[in-house]
Amino acid sequence: MPKLPDLEGLAIFAKVVEVRSFARAADELGLSKATISKAVTRLEQRLGTRLFNRTSRRLALTEAGRAVSARAARILAEGEAVESEALAQSATPRGLVRLAVPMSFGLIRVAPLLPELAEAYPDVSVDLHLSDAPVDLIGDGFDMALRIASLPDSSLVARRLCGVSRLLVASPAYLDRRGRPTHPFQLADHACLGYAYLPTPDLWRFVNAAGEEAAVRPAGPLRANNADALMPSLLAGLGLAVQPDFVVADALAAGQLEAVMPEWRLPLGGLYLVLPPGGPRPARIEAVADFLARRLARGRAAATG
């Protein structure tokens, strides 16, 4: 198997040629003179030829050394340029950020923030992926995600932004027709519209102020993988459903929907900003993460999973 080129040795050799001294090269590179000498000797052994003629007072390139020095200087210059560009990028937010967000939450809460984000960081671009389905943050190549959950994946770095809540709601017309339940067990007599990505979609769990718990298995004519998709059926009086308050807030305020069994709460979750493990992170990632954390934590967010 072929060995990789001795890039370190070539860069050190180029620096010695540039400053015409082993000692000055050591000072500029922050290395010992012995390390500089060993690197050049190692390179000479690898190339099978002497690169310098050395005396106690003079350092002169051999013919082979002159042939190697021009290319070695380009290698050193390219390496320094790569580091400079990387450092500049790490200091100034610049580049693409891939962000995964639940569909309804993204449309209602995140998309309206993007013009402000673009104004604050004009050199950052965002690839916004909207889906209620769980994503593989690392496997799918996302830089970060917003997730609504009771506990996020412990293998990821998660920042809790705020609590989230869900409400059991129905239209007044439906409740007038079918009655207003006062206990979760009464939901067995009702049409329940299901959201596929609830933490436990086939089991709705409730708790009241006294700490009493009740769990019911919802059944009804419709199940969807997005909260907004349930809204037309809810408003038409087809049944009742567990919905995030940011989706139903306007309908509740307008009297188009009613909160059902408000004394019984569904489990409280949290809105999390999730990133892959590791660090330090590029400036563009830190900038977008801090922006979202500040803006989304200002108000209480409520969302689906």
Side-chain angles (χ1 to χ4, degrees):
M1 176 183 259
K3 294 181 180 179
L4 289 172
D6 186 357
L7 298 177
E8 181 187 51
L10 287 165
I12 288 175
F13 166 69
K15 179 59 71 173
V16 173
V17 173
E18 178 187 329
V19 300
R20 300 179 181 276
S21 165
F22 277 63
R24 284 197 293 273
D27 289 341
E28 289 203 14
L29 296 175
L31 301 172
S32 68
K33 186 177 176 182
T35 299
I36 298 294
S37 180
K38 286 178 182 178
V40 172
T41 299
R42 182 181 72 236
L43 182 63
E44 288 177 328
Q45 291 173 344
R46 181 180 179 116
L47 299 178
T49 185
R50 291 182 64 82
L51 300 175
F52 289 110
N53 286 319
R54 296 170 237 184
T55 68
S56 59
R57 296 184 175 221
R58 191 161 177 246
L59 185 66
L61 285 169
T62 64
E63 185 176 346
R66 284 192 293 275
V68 173
S69 65
R71 292 187 177 182
R74 287 197 294 272
I75 289 172
L76 176 60
E78 283 294 321
E80 290 173 339
V82 166
E83 285 195 353
S84 295
E85 289 173 11
L87 287 170
Q89 188 174 43
S90 68
T92 303
R94 181 182 294 111
L96 177 67
V97 175
R98 299 196 68 221
L99 171 63
V101 184
M103 172 90 57
S104 295
F105 187 81
L107 291 171
I108 296 172
R109 291 291 180 84
V110 176
L113 299 178
L114 297 182
E116 183 183 345
L117 176 65
E119 185 176 358
Y121 302 107
D123 293 328
V124 172
S125 56
V126 175
D127 181 356
L128 181 63
H129 176 85
L130 297 175
S131 175
D132 287 354
V135 298
D136 181 349
L137 199 63
I138 298 173
D140 293 334
F142 289 103
D143 296 302
M144 67 184 74
L146 290 169
R147 289 184 177 173
I148 293 116
S150 297
L151 288 173
D153 186 338
S154 61
S155 68
L156 303 173
V157 178
R159 186 191 310 184
R160 191 177 188 275
L161 303 185
C162 60
V164 301
S165 63
R166 299 180 180 92
L167 305 172
L168 182 64
V169 297
S171 71
Y174 172 85
L175 296 171
D176 290 342
R177 186 174 73 251
R178 299 288 298 270
R180 288 168 171 76
T182 58
H183 193 282
F185 292 153
Q186 295 173 359
L187 295 179
D189 299 324
H190 285 266
C192 299
L193 310 182
Y195 171 58
Y197 292 126
L198 285 174
T200 55
D202 297 318
L203 194 68
W204 291 356
R205 300 179 184 276
F206 298 86
V207 62
N208 64 15
E212 296 175 313
E213 297 181 358
V216 296
R217 295 192 177 277
L222 177 64
R223 181 167 171 164
N225 64 358
N226 176 261
D228 279 306
L230 298 176
M231 285 298 291
S233 296
L234 270 173
L235 295 172
L238 194 63
L240 44 74
V242 173
Q243 289 282 77
D245 70 354
F246 68 86
V247 169
V248 298
D250 291 343
L252 287 169
Q256 296 173 300
L257 293 177
E258 289 183 21
V260 181
M261 300 189 315
E263 66 277 11
W264 288 88
R265 294 182 295 102
L266 288 117
L268 182 69
L271 172 66
Y272 292 88
L273 178 66
V274 185
L275 300 100
R281 305 182 195 284
R284 67 182 187 279
I285 306 300
E286 294 291 351
V288 173
D290 289 344
F291 174 87
L292 292 174
R294 288 194 311 272
R295 297 294 281 108
L296 294 174
R298 284 181 187 174
R300 179 178 177 79
T304 53

